[in-house]
Amino acid sequence: MPAPVTTPQLELPQMFTMETSWQVPDPDEPLWEVQALLKPFSKGLSPGNRIGVAVGSRGLAHGASLVKEVCQYLNELGVQVVLIPAMGSHGGATAQGQATVLAEYGITSENCGALLEPSMNTILVGESHLGTSVYWSSVAAQLDGVLVVNRIKPHTDFKGMVGSGLMKMLVVGLGKREGASAFHRSSLEHGYETILRAHAAKILETMPVLGGIAVIENARHDTESVHPVKAEELLEQEASLFQRAKALMPALPFDDIDLLIVDRMGKNLSGSGMDPNIIGRGVHGYSTHFAEQPQHPRIKRIMVRELSPESHGNAIGIGMADFTTSRLVRSMDHATTFVNAVTAMTLNGAKVPIHFEKDVDVIRWALSSLTQNVSKEARILRIRDTLNLDVMEGSVPLLQEAKTHAGLKLLEEPFPMRFDADGNCLPLRLPMHSSGPGGET
């Protein structure tokens, strides 16, 4: 029997709490007016038409309310509304799994007054101009029209003039597992944005797409604006909306971090579990050689503590961390994670990092892997997740920089790292106005 491992007894730095102070005005008026949103699409609708409303697997702010109002207004026009999960291989790549994901966001047949059709079956639409195969939901293909509802934001797998939004939902979401897999395979050869545009163009040309409802969120993961986008204007208008969304993206307040502690990861928080746009690591792997790491941000080690319950065991993206907890590893549904990794062609994302049982042990092992001789001098930043960056903890070596940072407000003076009786981190202390899925971590 192997001898028990002795954890390095390194001195831990004191921590302080800070809050981001992004200038995000609270809207005095409703975030949207559903009649105005649907006016561009309603002219050609007739009573009895079957109209699909496609919804993805991300936790949109106010998403359930928006989808419900869209469905209710369409019902008032006399059309039959069909809810379609548009999430590629998410939800375990099963119809029931995808229906369950929507239900957890409050989007159900009963709530929306719509028929739910979660079938994973697809049709071969044809070939793009590049000769790549394009697939689409067989349910959606048989309808009189389809509207997609999605947030527009930078993608987790690539950087370009468009990202995650209406095009991606048309191509990957409504492509189901087969379409998502075809997209990712082709993207490795031709490039993500090239294939996204090519496949979207083929779908818009041949399938009954009315357009989409594009949601832009601010740095606090709240709705900034909602836009109707007609099918014939989608390729051009989404690129314009993407630039607006990109400008509103949050970022870590420090560029040089020795250890980033992420309290939770999950599919409801990012398609990659943790957003590469925030942590500076890509889904296709990263170098542990400090000299080869990016400068903005330059994060030497990443530890992730928990997997969100809403992720249903899908721990895709865990491979971007260097360290994790054994309880997160136990919470993984390995089959679901592996299916997502193979479908997205991001195999590194499913690899399991070094893990130990207690948070305090993981932190000490992570610090021991750094080049500093004095552990209490480590620049440590702790966040809830990569979607919610409103409240953070930082180690004392970050304090002076935080005091002069225009976007930060100090909430709490330095204190020893806080652990419970089991040696796990106590929850971040969040202010009352803090938003985002899940509340305290």
Side-chain angles (χ1 to χ4, degrees), residues 66-389:
L66 176 59
V67 172
K68 181 179 179 180
E69 288 188 36
V70 167
C71 292
Q72 288 178 339
Y73 185 78
L74 290 173
N75 279 327
E76 291 172 7
L77 297 179
V79 305
Q80 181 181 357
V81 184
V82 180
L83 270 176
I84 309 173
M87 53 187 80
S89 66
H90 302 174
T94 67
Q96 182 56 52
Q98 297 201 345
T100 298
V101 171
L102 289 190
E104 290 181 345
Y105 291 132
I107 301 173
T108 65
S109 177
E110 294 76 17
N111 289 348
C112 297
L115 179 67
L116 177 64
E117 289 283 6
S119 170
M120 296 294 293
N121 294 334
T122 59
I123 62 166
L124 176 63
V125 174
E127 291 187 345
S128 73
H129 72 274
L130 296 170
T132 53
S133 298
V134 181
Y135 296 89
W136 217 49
S137 161
S138 59
V139 170
Q142 297 170 11
L143 299 176
D144 298 302
V146 176
L147 279 171
V148 294
V149 181
N150 200 20
R151 171 174 56 218
I152 291 182
K153 65 183 289 291
H155 199 277
T156 58
D157 292 3
F158 67 93
K159 298 182 184 297
M161 299 305 293
V162 294
S164 179
L166 304 180
M167 274 190 272
K168 187 199 169 192
M169 180 163 282
L170 287 173
V171 172
V172 180
L174 285 173
K176 300 292 183 170
R177 181 183 177 185
E178 197 163 17
S181 181
F183 164 77
H184 286 289
R185 286 198 309 270
S186 300
S187 294
L188 290 183
E189 181 177 355
H190 297 280
Y192 283 99
E193 184 173 347
T194 299
I195 290 297
L196 184 62
R197 288 182 178 276
H199 286 206
K202 184 66 177 180
I203 291 167
L204 288 166
E205 174 190 330
T206 57
M207 294 291 101
V209 180
L210 297 176
I213 305 295
V215 178
I216 293 180
E217 293 182 348
N218 58 38
R220 288 194 183 276
H221 179 46
D222 206 349
T223 304
E224 192 265 348
S225 56
V226 186
H227 307 264
V229 181
K230 297 172 69 173
E232 57 269 28
E233 300 170 356
L234 195 147
L235 295 178
E236 181 177 347
Q237 191 173 347
E238 178 162 340
S240 175
L241 292 172
F242 172 77
Q243 293 303 318
R244 184 172 179 177
K246 184 178 179 181
L248 293 171
M249 274 281 291
L252 298 178
F254 310 103
D255 282 333
D256 190 8
I257 300 169
D258 293 318
L259 173 61
L260 176 67
I261 301 173
V262 183
D263 276 5
R264 60 184 178 181
M265 59 173 290
K267 293 293 291 186
N268 60 312
L269 302 165
S270 170
S272 298
M274 296 182 287
D275 191 340
N277 295 294
I278 302 298
I279 64 175
R281 292 186 177 182
V283 295
H284 294 293
Y286 64 94
S287 174
T288 56
H289 194 304
F290 295 158
E292 297 175 359
Q293 292 178 344
Q295 295 299 310
H296 307 288
R298 184 171 183 254
I299 302 173
K300 295 176 182 175
R301 296 287 184 251
I302 294 178
M303 166 193 172
V304 59
R305 299 178 53 240
E306 308 276 357
L307 182 63
S308 68
E310 296 87 348
S311 207
H312 295 284
N314 188 340
I316 189 73
I318 191 174
M320 291 188 287
D322 304 290
F323 293 87
T324 188
T325 61
S326 298
R327 64 184 180 279
L328 191 157
V329 176
R330 288 194 297 271
S331 72
M332 289 178 63
D333 181 325
H334 291 275
T336 298
T337 304
F338 298 161
V339 167
N340 195 170
V342 173
T343 300
M345 303 291 281
T346 54
L347 308 186
N348 282 292
K351 295 181 178 180
V352 178
I354 296 168
H355 58 93
F356 297 95
E357 193 64 40
K358 301 177 181 180
D359 288 355
V360 65
D361 291 344
V362 179
I363 292 170
R364 285 194 164 113
W365 278 108
L367 292 176
S368 75
S369 73
L370 297 170
T371 56
Q372 280 134 326
N373 293 322
V374 183
S375 58
K376 68 178 182 180
E377 295 178 359
R379 294 165 62 91
I380 301 174
L381 184 67
R382 179 186 173 196
I383 63 175
R384 274 198 289 170
D385 51 65
T386 57
L387 184 62
N388 298 282
L389 301 178

